[in-house]
Coordinates of all heavy atoms in Angstrom, one line a residue:
M1 N 124.5 -3.1 297.2 CA 123.2 -3.5 296.7 C 123.3 -4.7 295.9 O 124.2 -4.9 295.1 CB 122.6 -2.3 295.8 CG 122.1 -1.2 296.6 SD 120.7 -1.6 297.6 CE 119.8 0.0 297.5
E2 N 122.3 -5.5 296.0 CA 122.2 -6.8 295.3 C 120.9 -6.8 294.5 O 119.9 -6.5 295.0 CB 122.3 -7.9 296.2 CG 122.6 -9.2 295.5 CD 122.9 -10.3 296.5 OE1 123.4 -10.0 297.6 OE2 122.6 -11.5 296.2
I3 N 121.0 -7.2 293.3 CA 119.8 -7.4 292.5 C 119.2 -8.7 292.7 O 119.8 -9.8 292.7 CB 120.1 -7.2 291.0 CG1 120.7 -5.8 290.7 CG2 118.9 -7.5 290.1 CD1 121.2 -5.6 289.3
V4 N 117.9 -8.6 293.1 CA 117.2 -9.8 293.4 C 116.3 -10.2 292.2 O 115.5 -9.4 291.7 CB 116.3 -9.6 294.7 CG1 115.5 -10.9 295.0 CG2 117.1 -9.1 295.9
R5 N 116.5 -11.4 291.8 CA 115.7 -11.9 290.7 C 114.9 -13.1 291.0 O 115.3 -13.9 291.9 CB 116.7 -12.2 289.5 CG 117.3 -11.0 288.8 CD 118.1 -11.4 287.6 NE 118.7 -10.3 287.0 CZ 118.1 -9.4 286.2 NH1 116.8 -9.6 285.8 NH2 118.7 -8.4 285.6
C6 N 113.8 -13.2 290.3 CA 113.0 -14.4 290.5 C 113.7 -15.7 290.1 O 114.3 -15.7 289.0 CB 111.7 -14.3 289.8 SG 110.6 -15.7 289.8
G7 N 113.7 -16.7 291.0 CA 114.4 -17.9 290.7 C 113.7 -18.7 289.6 O 114.2 -19.6 289.0
H8 N 112.4 -18.3 289.3 CA 111.6 -19.1 288.4 C 111.7 -18.5 287.0 O 112.0 -19.2 286.0 CB 110.2 -19.2 288.9 CG 109.4 -20.1 288.0 ND1 109.5 -21.5 288.0 CD2 108.4 -19.8 287.1 CE1 108.6 -22.0 287.1 NE2 107.9 -21.0 286.6
C9 N 111.4 -17.2 286.9 CA 111.3 -16.6 285.6 C 112.4 -15.6 285.3 O 112.5 -15.1 284.2 CB 109.9 -15.9 285.4 SG 109.7 -14.5 286.5
G10 N 113.1 -15.2 286.4 CA 114.2 -14.3 286.2 C 113.9 -12.9 286.2 O 114.7 -12.0 285.9
R11 N 112.7 -12.6 286.5 CA 112.3 -11.2 286.6 C 113.0 -10.5 287.7 O 113.1 -11.0 288.8 CB 110.8 -11.1 286.8 CG 110.3 -9.6 286.8 CD 108.9 -9.5 287.4 NE 108.6 -8.2 287.8 CZ 107.7 -7.4 287.2 NH1 107.1 -7.8 286.1 NH2 107.6 -6.2 287.6
K12 N 113.4 -9.3 287.5 CA 114.1 -8.5 288.5 C 113.0 -8.1 289.5 O 112.0 -7.4 289.2 CB 114.8 -7.3 287.9 CG 115.5 -6.4 289.0 CD 116.1 -5.2 288.3 CE 116.6 -4.2 289.3 NZ 117.1 -3.0 288.7
L13 N 113.2 -8.4 290.8 CA 112.2 -8.1 291.8 C 112.6 -6.9 292.6 O 111.7 -6.1 293.0 CB 112.1 -9.3 292.7 CG 111.6 -10.6 292.0 CD1 111.6 -11.8 293.0 CD2 110.2 -10.5 291.4
A14 N 113.9 -6.8 292.9 CA 114.3 -5.7 293.8 C 115.8 -5.5 293.8 O 116.5 -6.4 293.3 CB 113.8 -6.0 295.2
E15 N 116.2 -4.4 294.3 CA 117.6 -4.2 294.6 C 117.7 -3.9 296.0 O 117.0 -3.0 296.5 CB 118.1 -3.0 293.8 CG 118.3 -3.3 292.3 CD 118.9 -2.1 291.6 OE1 119.8 -1.4 292.1 OE2 118.5 -1.8 290.4
A16 N 118.4 -4.7 296.7 CA 118.3 -4.6 298.2 C 119.6 -5.1 298.8 O 120.4 -5.8 298.2 CB 117.1 -5.4 298.7
E17 N 119.8 -4.7 300.0 CA 120.8 -5.4 300.9 C 120.0 -6.1 302.0 O 119.1 -5.5 302.6 CB 121.7 -4.3 301.5 CG 122.6 -3.7 300.6 CD 123.6 -2.8 301.3 OE1 124.4 -3.3 302.1 OE2 123.5 -1.6 301.1
F18 N 120.2 -7.4 302.1 CA 119.4 -8.1 303.0 C 120.2 -9.3 303.6 O 121.2 -9.7 303.1 CB 118.2 -8.7 302.2 CG 118.6 -9.6 301.1 CD1 118.7 -11.0 301.3 CD2 118.8 -9.1 299.8 CE1 119.0 -11.8 300.2 CE2 119.2 -9.9 298.8 CZ 119.3 -11.3 299.0
V19 N 119.6 -9.7 304.7 CA 120.2 -11.0 305.3 C 119.3 -12.1 304.8 O 119.8 -13.1 304.3 CB 120.2 -10.8 306.8 CG1 120.7 -12.1 307.4 CG2 121.0 -9.6 307.2
R20 N 118.0 -11.9 305.1 CA 117.1 -12.9 304.5 C 115.9 -12.2 303.9 O 115.5 -11.1 304.4 CB 116.6 -13.9 305.6 CG 117.6 -14.9 305.9 CD 117.0 -16.0 306.8 NE 116.6 -15.5 308.1 CZ 116.0 -16.2 309.0 NH1 115.8 -17.5 308.8 NH2 115.8 -15.7 310.2
L21 N 115.4 -12.7 302.9 CA 114.3 -12.0 302.2 C 113.3 -13.0 301.6 O 113.7 -14.0 301.0 CB 115.0 -11.2 301.0 CG 114.0 -10.4 300.1 CD1 113.5 -9.2 300.9 CD2 114.8 -9.9 298.9
A22 N 112.1 -12.7 301.7 CA 111.0 -13.5 301.1 C 110.2 -12.5 300.2 O 109.6 -11.5 300.7 CB 110.1 -14.1 302.1
I23 N 110.2 -12.8 298.9 CA 109.5 -11.8 298.0 C 108.8 -12.7 296.9 O 109.3 -13.6 296.4 CB 110.5 -10.8 297.4 CG1 109.8 -9.8 296.6 CG2 111.6 -11.5 296.6 CD1 110.6 -8.6 296.2
K24 N 107.6 -12.3 296.7 CA 106.8 -13.0 295.7 C 106.9 -12.3 294.4 O 106.7 -11.1 294.3 CB 105.3 -13.0 296.2 CG 104.4 -13.9 295.4 CD 103.0 -14.0 296.1 CE 102.2 -15.0 295.3 NZ 100.8 -15.1 295.9
C25 N 107.1 -13.1 293.4 CA 107.2 -12.6 292.0 C 105.8 -12.2 291.5 O 104.9 -13.0 291.5 CB 107.9 -13.6 291.1 SG 108.0 -13.1 289.4
P26 N 105.7 -10.9 291.1 CA 104.4 -10.5 290.6 C 104.1 -11.1 289.2 O 102.9 -11.0 288.7 CB 104.5 -9.0 290.5 CG 106.0 -8.7 290.4 CD 106.7 -9.9 291.1
R27 N 105.1 -11.6 288.6 CA 104.9 -12.1 287.2 C 104.4 -13.6 287.2 O 103.4 -13.9 286.6 CB 106.2 -12.0 286.4 CG 106.1 -12.4 285.0 CD 107.4 -12.0 284.3 NE 107.6 -12.7 283.1 CZ 108.7 -12.6 282.4 NH1 109.8 -12.0 282.9 NH2 108.9 -13.3 281.3
C28 N 105.1 -14.4 288.0 CA 104.8 -15.8 287.9 C 104.2 -16.3 289.3 O 103.8 -17.4 289.4 CB 106.0 -16.6 287.5 SG 107.3 -16.7 288.7
G29 N 104.3 -15.5 290.3 CA 103.7 -15.8 291.6 C 104.6 -16.7 292.4 O 104.2 -17.2 293.5
T30 N 105.8 -17.0 292.0 CA 106.7 -17.8 292.8 C 107.2 -17.0 294.0 O 107.6 -15.8 293.9 CB 108.0 -18.2 292.0 OG1 107.5 -18.9 290.9 CG2 108.9 -19.0 292.8
L31 N 107.1 -17.6 295.2 CA 107.7 -17.0 296.4 C 109.2 -17.3 296.5 O 109.5 -18.5 296.6 CB 106.9 -17.5 297.6 CG 107.4 -16.9 298.9 CD1 107.1 -15.4 299.0 CD2 106.7 -17.6 300.1
N32 N 109.9 -16.3 296.3 CA 111.4 -16.4 296.4 C 111.9 -16.2 297.8 O 111.7 -15.0 298.3 CB 112.1 -15.5 295.4 CG 111.7 -15.8 294.0 OD1 112.4 -16.6 293.3 ND2 110.6 -15.2 293.5
T33 N 112.5 -17.1 298.4 CA 113.1 -16.9 299.7 C 114.6 -16.9 299.5 O 115.2 -17.9 299.0 CB 112.7 -18.0 300.7 OG1 112.9 -19.3 300.1 CG2 111.2 -17.9 301.1
L34 N 115.2 -15.8 299.9 CA 116.6 -15.7 299.6 C 117.4 -15.4 300.9 O 116.9 -14.9 301.9 CB 116.8 -14.5 298.7 CG 116.2 -14.6 297.3 CD1 115.8 -13.3 296.8 CD2 117.1 -15.3 296.4
K35 N 118.6 -15.9 300.9 CA 119.5 -15.7 302.0 C 120.8 -15.1 301.5 O 121.3 -15.5 300.5 CB 119.8 -17.0 302.7 CG 120.4 -16.9 304.0 CD 120.5 -18.3 304.6 CE 121.4 -18.3 305.9 NZ 121.6 -19.6 306.4
A36 N 121.2 -14.0 302.1 CA 122.4 -13.4 301.6 C 123.6 -14.3 301.7 O 123.7 -15.0 302.7 CB 122.6 -12.1 302.5
V37 N 124.4 -14.2 300.7 CA 125.6 -15.1 300.7 C 126.7 -14.4 301.5 O 127.0 -13.2 301.3 CB 126.1 -15.3 299.3 CG1 127.3 -16.2 299.3 CG2 124.9 -15.9 298.4
E38 N 127.2 -15.1 302.4 CA 128.3 -14.5 303.2 C 129.5 -14.4 302.4 O 129.8 -15.3 301.6 CB 128.5 -15.4 304.5 CG 127.4 -15.4 305.4 CD 127.6 -16.4 306.5 OE1 128.7 -16.7 306.8 OE2 126.6 -16.8 307.1
P39 N 130.2 -13.3 302.6 CA 131.5 -13.2 301.8 C 132.5 -14.2 302.2 O 132.6 -14.6 303.4 CB 132.0 -11.8 302.2 CG 131.3 -11.5 303.6 CD 130.0 -12.2 303.5
L40 N 133.2 -14.6 301.2 CA 134.2 -15.7 301.4 C 135.4 -15.1 302.1 O 136.3 -14.7 301.4 CB 134.5 -16.4 300.1 CG 133.4 -17.2 299.5 CD1 133.8 -17.6 298.1 CD2 133.0 -18.4 300.3
T41 N 135.4 -15.1 303.4 CA 136.6 -14.5 304.1 C 137.6 -15.6 304.2 O 138.8 -15.3 304.3 CB 136.2 -14.0 305.5 OG1 135.3 -15.0 306.1 CG2 135.4 -12.7 305.3
R42 N 137.2 -16.8 304.3 CA 138.1 -17.9 304.4 C 138.6 -18.4 303.1 O 137.8 -18.7 302.2 CB 137.5 -19.0 305.2 CG 137.3 -18.7 306.7 CD 136.7 -19.9 307.4 NE 136.3 -19.6 308.7 CZ 135.7 -20.5 309.5 NH1 135.4 -21.7 309.1 NH2 135.3 -20.1 310.7
A43 N 139.9 -18.4 302.9 CA 140.4 -19.0 301.7 C 140.3 -20.5 301.8 O 140.2 -21.0 302.8 CB 141.9 -18.6 301.6
P44 N 140.3 -21.1 300.6 CA 140.3 -22.5 300.6 C 141.4 -23.1 301.4 O 142.5 -22.5 301.5 CB 140.4 -22.9 299.1 CG 140.0 -21.7 298.4 CD 140.3 -20.5 299.3
R45 N 141.2 -24.2 302.0 CA 142.2 -24.8 302.9 C 143.5 -25.0 302.2 O 143.6 -25.6 301.2 CB 141.6 -26.1 303.4 CG 142.5 -26.7 304.5 CD 141.8 -27.9 305.1 NE 142.7 -28.5 306.1 CZ 143.6 -29.4 305.7 NH1 143.8 -29.8 304.4 NH2 144.4 -30.0 306.6
A46 N 144.5 -24.4 302.8 CA 145.8 -24.5 302.2 C 146.4 -25.8 302.5 O 146.1 -26.5 303.5 CB 146.7 -23.4 302.8
P47 N 147.2 -26.3 301.6 CA 147.9 -27.5 301.8 C 148.8 -27.4 303.0 O 149.2 -26.4 303.4 CB 148.7 -27.8 300.5 CG 148.8 -26.5 299.9 CD 147.6 -25.7 300.3
D48 N 149.0 -28.6 303.7 CA 149.7 -28.6 304.9 C 151.2 -28.2 304.8 O 151.8 -27.7 305.7 CB 149.6 -30.0 305.6 CG 148.2 -30.2 306.1 OD1 147.6 -29.4 306.7 OD2 147.7 -31.3 305.8
C49 N 151.7 -28.4 303.6 CA 153.1 -28.1 303.4 C 153.4 -27.8 302.0 O 152.5 -28.0 301.1 CB 154.0 -29.1 304.0 SG 154.0 -30.6 303.0
E50 N 154.5 -27.4 301.7 CA 154.9 -27.0 300.3 C 155.0 -28.2 299.4 O 154.8 -28.1 298.2 CB 156.2 -26.3 300.3 CG 156.1 -24.9 301.0 CD 157.4 -24.2 301.1 OE1 158.4 -24.8 300.7 OE2 157.5 -23.1 301.6
C51 N 155.2 -29.4 299.9 CA 155.4 -30.5 299.0 C 154.1 -31.3 298.9 O 154.1 -32.5 299.0 CB 156.5 -31.4 299.5 SG 156.5 -31.7 301.3
Y52 N 153.0 -30.6 298.8 CA 151.7 -31.1 298.8 C 151.5 -31.9 297.5 O 150.6 -32.7 297.4 CB 150.7 -30.0 299.0 CG 149.3 -30.5 299.0 CD1 148.8 -31.2 300.1 CD2 148.4 -30.2 297.9 CE1 147.5 -31.7 300.1 CE2 147.1 -30.6 297.9 CZ 146.6 -31.4 299.0 OH 145.3 -31.8 299.0
D53 N 152.3 -31.6 296.5 CA 152.0 -32.2 295.2 C 152.2 -33.7 295.1 O 151.8 -34.3 294.2 CB 153.0 -31.6 294.1 CG 154.5 -31.7 294.5 OD1 154.7 -32.4 295.5 OD2 155.3 -31.2 293.8
G54 N 152.7 -34.3 296.2 CA 152.8 -35.7 296.3 C 154.0 -36.3 295.7 O 154.3 -37.5 295.9
K55 N 154.8 -35.5 295.1 CA 156.1 -36.0 294.5 C 157.1 -36.2 295.6 O 158.0 -37.0 295.5 CB 156.6 -35.1 293.4 CG 155.6 -35.1 292.2 CD 156.0 -34.0 291.2 CE 155.0 -33.9 290.1 NZ 155.2 -32.7 289.2
T56 N 157.0 -35.3 296.5 CA 158.0 -35.3 297.6 C 157.6 -36.1 298.8 O 156.4 -36.1 299.1 CB 158.3 -33.9 298.0 OG1 158.3 -33.0 296.9 CG2 159.6 -33.8 298.8
N57 N 158.5 -36.8 299.4 CA 158.2 -37.5 300.6 C 158.0 -36.5 301.7 O 159.0 -35.9 302.1 CB 159.3 -38.5 300.9 CG 158.8 -39.9 300.6 OD1 157.6 -40.2 300.4 ND2 159.7 -40.9 300.7
C58 N 156.8 -36.4 302.2 CA 156.6 -35.4 303.2 C 155.9 -36.0 304.3 O 154.9 -36.7 304.1 CB 155.8 -34.2 302.6 SG 155.3 -33.1 303.9
P59 N 156.3 -35.8 305.5 CA 155.6 -36.4 306.7 C 154.2 -35.8 307.0 O 153.4 -36.4 307.6 CB 156.6 -36.1 307.9 CG 157.4 -35.0 307.4 CD 157.5 -35.1 305.9
V60 N 154.0 -34.7 306.4 CA 152.7 -34.0 306.6 C 151.7 -34.2 305.5 O 150.6 -34.7 305.7 CB 152.9 -32.5 306.9 CG1 151.6 -31.8 307.2 CG2 153.9 -32.2 308.0
G61 N 152.2 -33.9 304.3 CA 151.3 -33.9 303.2 C 151.2 -35.2 302.5 O 150.1 -35.6 302.0
G62 N 152.3 -35.9 302.5 CA 152.3 -37.2 301.7 C 152.2 -38.4 302.7 O 152.3 -38.3 303.9
R63 N 151.8 -39.5 302.1 CA 151.7 -40.7 302.9 C 153.0 -41.4 302.8 O 153.4 -41.9 301.7 CB 150.6 -41.5 302.4 CG 149.2 -41.0 302.8 CD 148.1 -41.9 302.3 NE 146.8 -41.3 302.5 CZ 145.7 -41.9 302.1 NH1 145.7 -43.0 301.4 NH2 144.5 -41.3 302.2
Q64 N 153.6 -41.6 303.9 CA 154.9 -42.4 303.9 C 154.6 -43.9 304.1 O 153.9 -44.3 305.1 CB 155.8 -41.9 305.0 CG 156.5 -40.6 304.6 CD 157.6 -40.3 305.6 OE1 157.4 -40.6 306.8 NE2 158.7 -39.7 305.2
T65 N 155.1 -44.6 303.2 CA 154.9 -46.1 303.4 C 156.2 -46.6 304.1 O 157.3 -46.2 303.7 CB 154.7 -46.8 302.0 OG1 155.8 -46.3 301.1 CG2 153.4 -46.5 301.4
P66 N 156.0 -47.4 305.0 CA 157.1 -47.9 305.8 C 158.0 -48.8 304.9 O 157.4 -49.6 304.0 CB 156.5 -48.8 306.9 CG 155.1 -49.0 306.5 CD 154.7 -47.9 305.6
P67 N 159.3 -48.7 304.9 CA 160.2 -49.5 304.1 C 160.0 -51.0 304.4 O 159.9 -51.4 305.5 CB 161.6 -48.9 304.4 CG 161.4 -48.3 305.8 CD 160.0 -47.8 305.9
G68 N 160.1 -51.7 303.3 CA 160.0 -53.1 303.5 C 158.7 -53.6 303.4 O 158.0 -54.3 304.1
Ligands
LIG101 ZN1 108.8 -15.0 288.5

């Protein structure tokens, strides 16, 4: 269950599970259109390799400057 609040005045409008929802606030009259937030199943993109910190010369994560 997710608590739906008015984006304008913050009044609690409903508790619901929804994919998309349009609900009008009885207090201020704002029509709130909401979309359920998808769960973050994907982790932030991992660095390409362990030496991502840039200190190490890495063919994947670091930029190698050609000698000379
Ligand atoms: Zn409101």
